[in-house]
Amino acid sequence: MTRLAPPYRIPPESVVEADHWQMAMEDSHVPMPTELQHWDYLTNIALHRNIRVDVDRTRQRAGLGPDSVLMLSSVWTSSGSNLRGPGRRVRIAGEGVQTIEIAFELTGAELGGTLLLETALVVASPGSSPRPAAPRRSGSVLWNDHHSLRLQGDAPQFPIAVIDFDKTSFPSDAAWHLQISDNLESATMGSLLLLVNERNAPAVAAVQNAERPRDTDKLVLSMIKADVSRVMVEHALRNSDFHEDADFPEDSVGETLMTLVGQLFPGVSITDLRLSHENQPNLFASDVQNAVKLFEVS
């Protein structure tokens, strides 16, 4: 929790009692972890928490009038997509201790990297008779806390879109196509996009059922993972800026590629991988299949 030192009176932290964030998982709710394994961009995230606010003590200790109005607000930020948005805002009038439920669902396609959650109790209206040194501006923060959730998993960590390839320059009967930026320092979220051809029913069904895949979906997803991994690794090895000493920004294309290469070929230098790809490209493709364990589905 962050303790503020603003130029106005604030109440003690004890006026707010906040439960831990809960996450919807199938038919139940579990405490939000610090890391979410096996997450992908097709998976939305539903969150909720209860927060109890002692309205009378908050007004008294902050010097606000009895007709002042408070607001409990939550905001989310995604480091992978550089997006930010409101979770929920609830105005608090009346008296006594009030329990407020903060609940919202975030679209997976808008997320990536680390999800930051900030909850704040702010002044919506100072009322008609605030005391000296009381907060007088709407939006003045009286209390806040921060929580984070690292999103990671084995699935491709970038958006997926289903389109009609017949209306593009891609081969009309191809099943999918990976778009990837040459700028290794650009954000992964805006630089990688897996396009799935809506004309290919098995591929569309597989990505739509990725959260709960059928046996046939698992086989298609295994093929997509192998092909996408090969394209990404080969893309990295063709870029001269991709090497052992490179230092890429967090959640960038370069960091994503570096992580993927490290997972698929642990202990193998990038120099050796580049030589293997240049001298024996067909064997290298088979090496990627072996590394991703093609068709080894649970």
Side-chain angles (χ1 to χ4, degrees), residues 12-293:
E13 294 181 2
S14 59
V15 301
V16 177
E17 182 181 348
D19 292 346
H20 191 78
W21 281 104
Q22 299 285 312
M23 178 181 299
M25 300 290 288
E26 296 183 351
D27 297 328
S28 62
H29 290 83
V30 299
M32 185 184 75
T34 56
E35 297 181 350
L36 188 59
Q37 299 286 342
H38 311 300
W39 176 86
D40 62 60
Y41 280 95
L42 296 175
T43 304
N44 296 342
I45 297 179
L47 299 165
H48 84 92
R49 72 190 304 199
N50 289 328
I51 298 179
R52 288 163 290 282
V53 180
D54 190 329
V55 179
D56 296 335
R57 285 186 62 218
T58 299
R59 287 173 174 152
Q60 179 185 10
R61 298 298 293 272
L64 297 168
D67 60 340
S68 61
V69 179
L70 308 176
M71 177 178 290
L72 203 57
S73 175
S74 61
V75 176
W76 62 269
T77 305
S78 171
S79 66
S81 63
N82 290 323
L83 294 179
R84 176 182 173 90
R88 189 170 181 224
R89 296 174 180 171
V90 180
R91 291 173 64 88
I92 306 174
E95 302 174 346
V97 178
Q98 300 190 29
T99 300
I100 310 298
E101 181 182 25
I102 302 293
F104 52 90
E105 182 172 347
L106 301 177
T107 302
E110 297 180 345
L111 307 178
T114 299
L115 175 64
L116 303 175
L117 300 171
E118 179 182 3
T119 306
L121 179 67
V122 303
V123 176
S125 171
S128 57
S129 57
R131 285 178 281 178
R136 297 174 180 272
R137 292 186 177 182
S138 297
S140 297
V141 178
L142 305 177
W143 169 93
N144 71 344
D145 73 353
H146 300 81
H147 295 271
S148 63
L149 172 63
R150 177 68 180 176
L151 303 173
Q152 55 182 298
D154 296 328
Q157 298 295 292
F158 45 83
I160 300 173
V162 178
I163 64 173
D164 185 356
F165 277 25
D166 198 41
K167 298 179 180 178
T168 71
S169 59
F170 307 130
S172 59
D173 291 328
W176 56 79
H177 173 81
L178 180 68
Q179 291 185 329
I180 181 170
S181 172
D182 291 326
N183 183 0
L184 300 184
E185 295 191 354
S186 60
T188 300
M189 178 66 179
S191 304
L192 285 168
L193 178 63
L194 179 62
L195 300 172
V196 178
N197 190 355
E198 68 177 27
R199 293 168 171 262
N200 191 295
V204 173
V207 298
Q208 291 178 340
N209 297 329
E211 189 172 355
R212 295 182 179 179
R214 304 164 299 177
D215 290 342
T216 53
D217 298 328
K218 291 178 181 179
L219 294 175
V220 175
L221 290 173
S222 180
M223 294 178 63
I224 294 176
K225 178 181 178 181
D227 189 52
V228 167
S229 297
R230 178 188 57 80
V231 171
M232 292 176 66
V233 171
E234 291 180 344
H235 181 83
L237 297 177
R238 286 193 294 267
N239 194 316
S240 60
D241 293 330
F242 189 81
H243 52 80
E244 283 87 355
D245 298 328
D247 184 17
F248 299 111
E250 183 179 2
D251 298 319
S252 66
V253 173
E255 185 196 49
T256 299
L257 294 174
M258 192 71 75
T259 299
L260 176 63
V261 169
Q263 290 174 343
L264 297 181
F265 302 101
V268 182
S269 71
I270 293 177
T271 299
D272 288 344
L273 287 175
R274 183 170 280 122
L275 288 173
S276 175
H277 175 252
E278 292 175 352
N279 296 329
Q280 296 180 297
N282 293 339
L283 179 59
F284 186 81
S286 298
D287 287 337
V288 175
Q289 288 184 17
N290 177 71
V292 301
K293 297 178 173 58

